[in-house]
Amino acid sequence: MQTAADRAYGALPAGQQAIAREMLRSMTVARRDGGLARRPVTRDDLYAGLPGAARADIDAVLDAFAAERLTVLDGDKAQLSHDVLLRAWPRLRGWLEEDQANWILHGQLADAADAWHDSHDDPSFLYRGAQLTALQEAVTRWSADPARYPCPHRHPAQLPAGQRTSCRSRSAAAA
């Protein structure tokens, strides 16, 4: 699998290699336990998530990885063909490790939102100081890629007021 992935990636021109990196990262999500999993995406999600890339280039990257049986194309949806690719291809694994800190913080926020909700909105559960600052910076990063970093709770109204606005505006931007 690593050989096929290296072959598909290596055959792409530099611009399409950059697209491949972002595209493959968007086809991956971290579970709450920190493990990685495949995530199906639509072509429209890919087009929207890579606004500087030509649709033809995105389609060419999808086709190159599908030709090596590394992605599965089903109508308008695309996804990695095997979870093992997330571990077996060192290049992809390296890209995903760069995201690890964001995913950890994202999971912590989801857990904190659950705890805050379960405490009947007890203000002592709200973030303050450096923790709040780090979260605000992360939300800015996540807002740039709402498909990759969805609102970290089932229902934005169940988040503290400062987060509700961010999730709502991110949901609207993603629509």
Short mmCIF file of all heavy atoms in Angstrom, two decimals, residues 14-57:
data_model
loop_
_atom_site.label_atom_id
_atom_site.label_comp_id
_atom_site.label_asym_id
_atom_site.label_seq_id
_atom_site.Cartn_x
_atom_site.Cartn_y
_atom_site.Cartn_z
N ALA A 14 3.87 19.19 -8.67
CA ALA A 14 3.98 19.79 -7.33
C ALA A 14 2.67 20.43 -6.85
O ALA A 14 2.28 20.25 -5.69
CB ALA A 14 5.11 20.82 -7.32
N GLY A 15 1.98 21.15 -7.71
CA GLY A 15 0.73 21.78 -7.31
C GLY A 15 -0.33 20.77 -6.90
O GLY A 15 -1.08 20.99 -5.94
N GLN A 16 -0.39 19.67 -7.63
CA GLN A 16 -1.36 18.63 -7.29
C GLN A 16 -0.92 17.84 -6.06
O GLN A 16 -1.76 17.31 -5.33
CB GLN A 16 -1.60 17.71 -8.48
CG GLN A 16 -2.39 18.40 -9.58
CD GLN A 16 -2.66 17.49 -10.78
OE1 GLN A 16 -2.21 16.35 -10.85
NE2 GLN A 16 -3.41 18.02 -11.74
N GLN A 17 0.39 17.78 -5.79
CA GLN A 17 0.84 17.14 -4.56
C GLN A 17 0.34 17.92 -3.35
O GLN A 17 -0.09 17.33 -2.35
CB GLN A 17 2.37 17.03 -4.53
CG GLN A 17 2.91 15.95 -5.43
CD GLN A 17 4.42 15.85 -5.39
OE1 GLN A 17 5.12 16.71 -4.87
NE2 GLN A 17 4.94 14.75 -5.94
N ALA A 18 0.37 19.24 -3.44
CA ALA A 18 -0.14 20.07 -2.35
C ALA A 18 -1.65 19.84 -2.17
O ALA A 18 -2.14 19.76 -1.04
CB ALA A 18 0.14 21.55 -2.61
N ILE A 19 -2.36 19.70 -3.27
CA ILE A 19 -3.79 19.40 -3.21
C ILE A 19 -4.00 18.03 -2.57
O ILE A 19 -4.89 17.86 -1.73
CB ILE A 19 -4.42 19.45 -4.62
CG1 ILE A 19 -4.43 20.89 -5.13
CG2 ILE A 19 -5.82 18.85 -4.63
CD1 ILE A 19 -4.78 21.03 -6.60
N ALA A 20 -3.18 17.06 -2.95
CA ALA A 20 -3.31 15.71 -2.40
C ALA A 20 -3.16 15.73 -0.88
O ALA A 20 -3.92 15.07 -0.16
CB ALA A 20 -2.27 14.77 -3.01
N ARG A 21 -2.19 16.48 -0.40
CA ARG A 21 -1.97 16.57 1.05
C ARG A 21 -3.24 17.05 1.75
O ARG A 21 -3.72 16.43 2.70
CB ARG A 21 -0.81 17.51 1.34
CG ARG A 21 -0.60 17.76 2.81
CD ARG A 21 0.48 18.80 3.04
NE ARG A 21 0.50 19.16 4.44
CZ ARG A 21 1.58 19.37 5.13
NH1 ARG A 21 2.77 19.26 4.56
NH2 ARG A 21 1.53 19.71 6.39
N GLU A 22 -3.80 18.17 1.29
CA GLU A 22 -4.99 18.72 1.94
C GLU A 22 -6.21 17.82 1.74
O GLU A 22 -7.02 17.66 2.64
CB GLU A 22 -5.25 20.14 1.44
CG GLU A 22 -4.16 21.12 1.80
CD GLU A 22 -3.82 21.11 3.29
OE1 GLU A 22 -4.75 21.13 4.13
OE2 GLU A 22 -2.63 21.07 3.62
N MET A 23 -6.32 17.24 0.56
CA MET A 23 -7.45 16.38 0.27
C MET A 23 -7.43 15.14 1.17
O MET A 23 -8.44 14.79 1.76
CB MET A 23 -7.41 15.96 -1.20
CG MET A 23 -8.56 15.08 -1.62
SD MET A 23 -8.34 14.45 -3.29
CE MET A 23 -7.09 13.20 -2.98
N LEU A 24 -6.28 14.50 1.30
CA LEU A 24 -6.18 13.29 2.12
C LEU A 24 -6.38 13.61 3.60
O LEU A 24 -6.98 12.82 4.33
CB LEU A 24 -4.85 12.59 1.87
CG LEU A 24 -4.68 12.04 0.45
CD1 LEU A 24 -3.26 11.55 0.22
CD2 LEU A 24 -5.69 10.93 0.17
N ARG A 25 -5.89 14.75 4.02
CA ARG A 25 -6.13 15.17 5.41
C ARG A 25 -7.62 15.39 5.66
O ARG A 25 -8.13 15.06 6.72
CB ARG A 25 -5.34 16.43 5.73
CG ARG A 25 -3.84 16.17 5.83
CD ARG A 25 -3.03 17.42 5.93
NE ARG A 25 -3.30 18.11 7.18
CZ ARG A 25 -3.05 19.40 7.38
NH1 ARG A 25 -2.53 20.14 6.43
NH2 ARG A 25 -3.30 19.95 8.54
N SER A 26 -8.32 15.94 4.67
CA SER A 26 -9.75 16.18 4.86
C SER A 26 -10.56 14.89 4.84
O SER A 26 -11.70 14.88 5.31
CB SER A 26 -10.28 17.17 3.81
OG SER A 26 -10.34 16.57 2.54
N MET A 27 -9.98 13.82 4.31
CA MET A 27 -10.66 12.52 4.28
C MET A 27 -10.38 11.72 5.54
O MET A 27 -10.66 10.53 5.60
CB MET A 27 -10.20 11.72 3.07
CG MET A 27 -10.63 12.29 1.76
SD MET A 27 -9.94 11.27 0.44
CE MET A 27 -11.08 11.63 -0.85
N THR A 28 -9.83 12.38 6.54
CA THR A 28 -9.46 11.72 7.79
C THR A 28 -10.03 12.51 8.95
O THR A 28 -10.08 13.74 8.92
CB THR A 28 -7.92 11.68 7.92
OG1 THR A 28 -7.38 11.12 6.74
CG2 THR A 28 -7.50 10.85 9.11
N VAL A 29 -10.44 11.82 9.98
CA VAL A 29 -10.94 12.47 11.19
C VAL A 29 -10.37 11.72 12.39
O VAL A 29 -10.11 10.52 12.31
CB VAL A 29 -12.49 12.49 11.20
CG1 VAL A 29 -13.07 11.11 11.34
CG2 VAL A 29 -13.02 13.42 12.27
N ALA A 30 -10.17 12.46 13.46
CA ALA A 30 -9.72 11.83 14.71
C ALA A 30 -10.95 11.49 15.53
O ALA A 30 -11.86 12.30 15.68
CB ALA A 30 -8.81 12.76 15.48
N ARG A 31 -10.96 10.27 16.04
CA ARG A 31 -12.04 9.87 16.94
C ARG A 31 -11.77 10.50 18.31
O ARG A 31 -10.68 10.97 18.58
CB ARG A 31 -12.09 8.35 17.05
CG ARG A 31 -12.40 7.66 15.73
CD ARG A 31 -12.51 6.16 15.92
NE ARG A 31 -11.35 5.61 16.61
CZ ARG A 31 -10.38 4.89 16.02
NH1 ARG A 31 -10.43 4.65 14.73
NH2 ARG A 31 -9.37 4.41 16.73
N ARG A 32 -12.75 10.47 19.18
CA ARG A 32 -12.58 11.08 20.51
C ARG A 32 -11.50 10.39 21.31
O ARG A 32 -10.90 10.99 22.19
CB ARG A 32 -13.90 11.05 21.27
CG ARG A 32 -14.85 11.99 20.53
CD ARG A 32 -15.96 12.54 21.18
NE ARG A 32 -15.86 13.27 22.39
CZ ARG A 32 -16.93 13.72 22.96
NH1 ARG A 32 -18.10 13.47 22.43
NH2 ARG A 32 -16.85 14.40 24.07
N ASP A 33 -11.20 9.12 20.98
CA ASP A 33 -10.13 8.41 21.69
C ASP A 33 -8.75 8.74 21.13
O ASP A 33 -7.75 8.21 21.58
CB ASP A 33 -10.37 6.90 21.67
CG ASP A 33 -10.26 6.28 20.29
OD1 ASP A 33 -9.96 7.00 19.30
OD2 ASP A 33 -10.47 5.06 20.19
N GLY A 34 -8.71 9.62 20.12
CA GLY A 34 -7.44 10.03 19.53
C GLY A 34 -7.03 9.21 18.32
O GLY A 34 -6.12 9.58 17.59
N GLY A 35 -7.69 8.09 18.08
CA GLY A 35 -7.39 7.28 16.90
C GLY A 35 -7.89 7.96 15.63
O GLY A 35 -8.77 8.83 15.67
N LEU A 36 -7.34 7.55 14.51
CA LEU A 36 -7.72 8.13 13.23
C LEU A 36 -8.68 7.21 12.49
O LEU A 36 -8.59 5.98 12.62
CB LEU A 36 -6.49 8.39 12.38
CG LEU A 36 -5.50 9.39 12.96
CD1 LEU A 36 -4.22 9.41 12.13
CD2 LEU A 36 -6.12 10.76 13.03
N ALA A 37 -9.54 7.80 11.70
CA ALA A 37 -10.50 7.03 10.90
C ALA A 37 -10.72 7.73 9.57
O ALA A 37 -10.50 8.93 9.43
CB ALA A 37 -11.82 6.90 11.65
N ARG A 38 -11.15 6.93 8.60
CA ARG A 38 -11.51 7.50 7.30
C ARG A 38 -12.79 8.31 7.45
O ARG A 38 -13.61 8.03 8.30
CB ARG A 38 -11.78 6.39 6.30
CG ARG A 38 -10.60 5.54 5.99
CD ARG A 38 -10.96 4.40 5.06
NE ARG A 38 -11.84 3.45 5.74
CZ ARG A 38 -12.71 2.66 5.13
NH1 ARG A 38 -12.83 2.69 3.82
NH2 ARG A 38 -13.45 1.83 5.80
N ARG A 39 -12.92 9.31 6.59
CA ARG A 39 -14.12 10.15 6.61
C ARG A 39 -14.52 10.41 5.17
O ARG A 39 -13.74 10.99 4.40
CB ARG A 39 -13.81 11.47 7.32
CG ARG A 39 -15.00 12.41 7.39
CD ARG A 39 -14.64 13.63 8.22
NE ARG A 39 -13.91 14.61 7.46
CZ ARG A 39 -14.46 15.66 6.85
NH1 ARG A 39 -15.77 15.84 6.90
NH2 ARG A 39 -13.74 16.52 6.19
N PRO A 40 -15.70 9.98 4.77
CA PRO A 40 -16.13 10.28 3.39
C PRO A 40 -16.39 11.77 3.23
O PRO A 40 -16.83 12.44 4.16
CB PRO A 40 -17.43 9.48 3.23
CG PRO A 40 -17.87 9.12 4.60
CD PRO A 40 -16.69 9.21 5.50
N VAL A 41 -16.06 12.28 2.07
CA VAL A 41 -16.30 13.68 1.74
C VAL A 41 -16.94 13.75 0.36
O VAL A 41 -16.80 12.84 -0.45
CB VAL A 41 -14.99 14.51 1.75
CG1 VAL A 41 -14.38 14.56 3.14
CG2 VAL A 41 -13.98 13.98 0.75
N THR A 42 -17.63 14.83 0.12
CA THR A 42 -18.18 15.03 -1.22
C THR A 42 -17.19 15.85 -2.03
O THR A 42 -16.34 16.55 -1.48
CB THR A 42 -19.53 15.77 -1.17
OG1 THR A 42 -19.31 17.09 -0.67
CG2 THR A 42 -20.54 15.04 -0.29
N ARG A 43 -17.33 15.75 -3.33
CA ARG A 43 -16.49 16.60 -4.19
C ARG A 43 -16.74 18.07 -3.89
O ARG A 43 -15.80 18.86 -3.86
CB ARG A 43 -16.76 16.30 -5.67
CG ARG A 43 -16.17 14.98 -6.12
CD ARG A 43 -16.42 14.76 -7.61
NE ARG A 43 -16.07 13.41 -8.00
CZ ARG A 43 -14.94 13.08 -8.60
NH1 ARG A 43 -14.05 14.00 -8.90
NH2 ARG A 43 -14.71 11.83 -8.93
N ASP A 44 -17.98 18.43 -3.62
CA ASP A 44 -18.28 19.82 -3.30
C ASP A 44 -17.54 20.26 -2.03
O ASP A 44 -17.06 21.39 -1.96
CB ASP A 44 -19.79 20.04 -3.14
CG ASP A 44 -20.53 20.02 -4.48
OD1 ASP A 44 -19.87 20.21 -5.53
OD2 ASP A 44 -21.76 19.82 -4.47
N ASP A 45 -17.44 19.37 -1.03
CA ASP A 45 -16.67 19.69 0.18
C ASP A 45 -15.21 19.94 -0.18
O ASP A 45 -14.58 20.86 0.34
CB ASP A 45 -16.74 18.57 1.21
CG ASP A 45 -18.09 18.44 1.88
OD1 ASP A 45 -18.86 19.43 1.87
OD2 ASP A 45 -18.38 17.36 2.43
N LEU A 46 -14.68 19.09 -1.05
CA LEU A 46 -13.28 19.26 -1.47
C LEU A 46 -13.09 20.55 -2.24
O LEU A 46 -12.12 21.29 -2.01
CB LEU A 46 -12.82 18.06 -2.30
CG LEU A 46 -12.73 16.74 -1.55
CD1 LEU A 46 -12.42 15.60 -2.52
CD2 LEU A 46 -11.68 16.81 -0.45
N TYR A 47 -13.99 20.85 -3.15
CA TYR A 47 -13.89 22.09 -3.93
C TYR A 47 -13.94 23.30 -3.00
O TYR A 47 -13.17 24.24 -3.15
CB TYR A 47 -15.00 22.19 -4.97
CG TYR A 47 -15.04 21.08 -6.01
CD1 TYR A 47 -16.25 20.71 -6.58
CD2 TYR A 47 -13.90 20.41 -6.42
CE1 TYR A 47 -16.32 19.71 -7.55
CE2 TYR A 47 -13.96 19.41 -7.38
CZ TYR A 47 -15.17 19.06 -7.93
OH TYR A 47 -15.22 18.06 -8.88
N ALA A 48 -14.88 23.26 -2.03
CA ALA A 48 -15.02 24.39 -1.10
C ALA A 48 -13.82 24.48 -0.15
O ALA A 48 -13.40 25.57 0.21
CB ALA A 48 -16.31 24.25 -0.30
N GLY A 49 -13.29 23.34 0.24
CA GLY A 49 -12.17 23.31 1.18
C GLY A 49 -10.84 23.67 0.56
O GLY A 49 -9.87 23.95 1.27
N LEU A 50 -10.77 23.66 -0.76
CA LEU A 50 -9.55 24.01 -1.49
C LEU A 50 -9.88 25.09 -2.51
O LEU A 50 -9.79 24.89 -3.72
CB LEU A 50 -8.99 22.76 -2.20
CG LEU A 50 -8.55 21.62 -1.29
CD1 LEU A 50 -8.41 20.32 -2.06
CD2 LEU A 50 -7.25 21.98 -0.60
N PRO A 51 -10.28 26.28 -2.04
CA PRO A 51 -10.79 27.31 -2.95
C PRO A 51 -9.76 27.80 -3.96
O PRO A 51 -10.13 28.29 -5.02
CB PRO A 51 -11.23 28.44 -2.01
CG PRO A 51 -10.46 28.22 -0.76
CD PRO A 51 -10.24 26.74 -0.66
N GLY A 52 -8.47 27.66 -3.67
CA GLY A 52 -7.45 28.12 -4.61
C GLY A 52 -7.10 27.10 -5.66
O GLY A 52 -6.32 27.37 -6.57
N ALA A 53 -7.67 25.92 -5.55
CA ALA A 53 -7.35 24.83 -6.49
C ALA A 53 -8.43 24.71 -7.57
O ALA A 53 -9.62 24.87 -7.29
CB ALA A 53 -7.24 23.52 -5.74
N ALA A 54 -8.00 24.42 -8.76
CA ALA A 54 -8.94 24.20 -9.86
C ALA A 54 -9.64 22.87 -9.65
O ALA A 54 -9.03 21.88 -9.21
CB ALA A 54 -8.20 24.20 -11.19
N ARG A 55 -10.91 22.84 -9.98
CA ARG A 55 -11.68 21.59 -9.84
C ARG A 55 -11.03 20.47 -10.64
O ARG A 55 -11.01 19.33 -10.19
CB ARG A 55 -13.12 21.80 -10.28
CG ARG A 55 -13.90 22.63 -9.31
CD ARG A 55 -15.34 22.85 -9.77
NE ARG A 55 -16.03 23.62 -8.76
CZ ARG A 55 -17.28 23.40 -8.43
NH1 ARG A 55 -17.99 22.47 -9.03
NH2 ARG A 55 -17.85 24.14 -7.50
N ALA A 56 -10.51 20.79 -11.80
CA ALA A 56 -9.88 19.76 -12.64
C ALA A 56 -8.67 19.16 -11.93
O ALA A 56 -8.42 17.96 -12.04
CB ALA A 56 -9.47 20.36 -13.99
N ASP A 57 -7.92 19.98 -11.20
CA ASP A 57 -6.78 19.46 -10.45
C ASP A 57 -7.22 18.56 -9.30
O ASP A 57 -6.62 17.52 -9.05
CB ASP A 57 -5.91 20.60 -9.92
CG ASP A 57 -5.08 21.26 -11.01
OD1 ASP A 57 -4.76 20.60 -12.01
OD2 ASP A 57 -4.76 22.46 -10.85
#
